[in-house]
């Protein structure tokens, strides 16, 4: 009887080895954890790939002096320009704003919204950061319910990504970086995304592409109120049956620079050990992961140096490379480190 029971248990475990039995509780295969297979879209001689794979091997080895407990294996990523396309012409959130103001016939824009959309729609640039600019962007979605905004984001994600053939906005993620997220997750890192884009946009884009839960997706915050709250402060209003959550049309926090460090403290509560960015607005976040950390830590910065497969900027890439040398960040060359960016079926127009 014992022999028969052992056979049954072994058979069940063999069939469920990837779904929670016999040491497979995490559902992660050896290939997911191995950089040779998990990071297959990276060139073998890429310095960033070597640095990351050696780091992961060291900090996940219980016999290593640099071992990091699972609860402290926190990796933080910027989104635009680090995980996904921010070029041709610019960020997803600004392109959606332009669509809302100039192409959405159900929306009647005001003078300020029209001015920004018309003057920057095709330039590849956005106005300088300011509280006024952020208020104007947020105001375009005032009185939308949270669900309506989510649907609006998802619908815009389905439109073609400008400047490329065979690429939708929702798929404009750098495939080698998506591999990094999955590789870290397989090695028991908890991956967070911290972006300057609105939190609801981050949830829509990164949540789908990276398969991460909403609480691991951080972004800029806009005011959310009850549909019946009117001008009352949140302290003076009680949510009632029949109320709906709607956008208040005001930006509260722009999640860039030092604000990224603050949101990490507030929402994660654990200092990251890995930081990934692509611009100086990510510097505080990446530096926070690196400096004063009791665990071995690394910071990576992407250099937008590919002008054949992407709309790179060699001058900007050179400046970032110089910043990497100055700050101790590990540079990632889109041109030299990656075998592909969006997949072989995608062509730059």
């Amino acid at each position: 009887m014992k022999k028969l029971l052992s056979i049954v248990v072994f058979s069940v475990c063999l069939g469920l080895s990837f779904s929670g039995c016999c040491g497979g509780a995490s559902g992660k295969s050896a290939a997911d954890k191995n950089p040779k297979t998990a990071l297959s879209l990276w060139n073998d001689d890429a310095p960033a790939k070597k640095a990351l794979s050696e780091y992961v091997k060291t900090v996940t080895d219980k016999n290593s002096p640099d071992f990091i407990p699972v609860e402290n294996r926190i990796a933080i990523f910027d989104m635009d320009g680090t995980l996904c396309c921010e070029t041709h012409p610019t960020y997803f959130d600004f392109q959606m704003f332009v669509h809302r103001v100039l192409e959405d016939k159900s929306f009647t824009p005001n003078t300020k919204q029209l001015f920004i959309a018309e003057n920057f729609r095709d330039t590849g640039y956005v106005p300088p950061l300011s509280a006024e600019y952020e208020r104007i962007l947020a105001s375009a979605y005032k009185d939308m319910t949270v669900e309506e905004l989510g649907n609006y984001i998802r619908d815009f994600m389905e439109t073609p990504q400008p400047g490329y053939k065979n690429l939708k906005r929702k798929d404009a993620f750098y495939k080698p970086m998506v591999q990094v997220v999955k590789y870290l997750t397989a090695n028991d890192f908890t991956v967070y995304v911290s972006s300057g884009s609105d939190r609801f946009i981050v949830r829509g884009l990164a949540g789908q592409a990276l398969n991460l839960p909403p609480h691991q997706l951080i972004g800029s915050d806009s005011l959310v109120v009850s549909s019946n709250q009117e001008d009352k402060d949140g302290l003076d209003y009680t949510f009632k049956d029949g109320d709906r959550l709607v956008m208040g049309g005001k930006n509260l926090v722009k999640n860039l620079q030092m604000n990224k460090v603050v949101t990490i403290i507030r929402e994660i509560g654990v200092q990251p050990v890995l930081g990934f960015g692509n611009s100086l607005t990510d510097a505080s976040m990446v530096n926070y992961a690196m400096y004063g950390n009791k665990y071995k830590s690394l910071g990576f910065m992407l250099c937008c140096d590919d002008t054949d497969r992407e709309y790179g900027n060699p001058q900007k890439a050179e400046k970032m490379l110089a910043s990497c040398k100055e700050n101790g960040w590990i540079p990632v060359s889109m041109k030299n480190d990656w075998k592909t960016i969006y997949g072989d079926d995608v062509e730059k127009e």
Side-chain angles (χ1 to χ4, degrees), residues 140-333:
Y141 310 104
K142 189 177 187 302
D143 296 330
M144 268 191 177
T145 66
V146 171
E147 291 78 12
E148 288 170 345
L149 178 59
N151 290 334
Y152 200 86
I153 293 166
R154 284 188 287 273
D155 288 345
F156 192 64
M157 286 167 54
E158 293 291 339
T159 61
Q161 176 65 41
Y164 298 91
K165 295 180 180 178
N166 305 318
L167 186 65
K168 290 185 177 181
R169 296 182 195 272
K170 68 175 183 178
D171 300 318
F173 277 74
Y174 307 146
K175 287 185 177 293
M177 292 304 295
V178 174
Q179 283 192 331
V180 170
V181 171
K182 293 180 179 179
Y183 169 62
L184 291 175
T185 301
N187 282 281
D188 296 319
F189 282 79
T190 302
V191 173
Y192 289 84
V193 175
S194 181
S195 173
S197 295
D198 184 88
R199 184 185 298 265
F200 293 110
I201 288 178
V202 181
R203 287 178 178 176
L205 275 174
Q208 177 174 304
L210 306 177
N211 194 29
L212 294 176
H215 66 271
Q216 290 172 217
L217 304 172
I218 303 168
S220 295
D221 278 317
S222 296
L223 180 66
V224 177
V225 298
S226 166
S227 54
N228 295 311
Q229 187 172 335
E230 297 179 343
D231 294 329
K232 293 181 180 179
D233 186 86
L235 292 173
D236 300 321
Y237 185 82
T238 300
F239 189 87
K240 300 178 179 63
D241 184 21
D243 279 10
R244 298 177 301 158
L245 294 178
V246 299
M247 305 307 298
K250 296 180 181 179
N251 173 262
L252 298 176
V253 176
K254 185 64 174 178
N255 190 45
L256 291 176
Q257 266 293 23
M258 183 60 194
N259 286 345
K260 288 198 172 190
V261 177
V262 175
T263 53
I264 289 171
I265 289 294
R266 287 177 175 167
E267 304 195 26
I268 304 176
V270 178
Q271 184 179 10
V273 293
L274 286 173
F276 297 81
N278 79 303
S279 73
L280 294 182
T281 57
D282 304 318
S284 292
M285 178 184 75
V286 175
N287 285 344
Y288 178 58
M290 293 173 57
Y291 301 149
N293 206 317
K294 67 178 180 179
Y295 296 109
K296 184 179 178 66
S297 56
L298 293 177
F300 295 81
M301 283 285 191
L302 267 70
C303 298
C304 54
D305 55 0
D306 197 314
T307 57
D308 293 326
R309 301 174 297 181
E310 234 272 353
Y311 292 86
N313 185 323
Q315 292 77 24
K316 183 179 177 181
E318 282 297 318
K319 289 181 179 179
M320 176 51 69
L321 188 60
S323 295
C324 286
K325 293 178 180 178
E326 180 181 347
N327 292 278
W329 305 325
I330 297 171
V332 175
S333 169

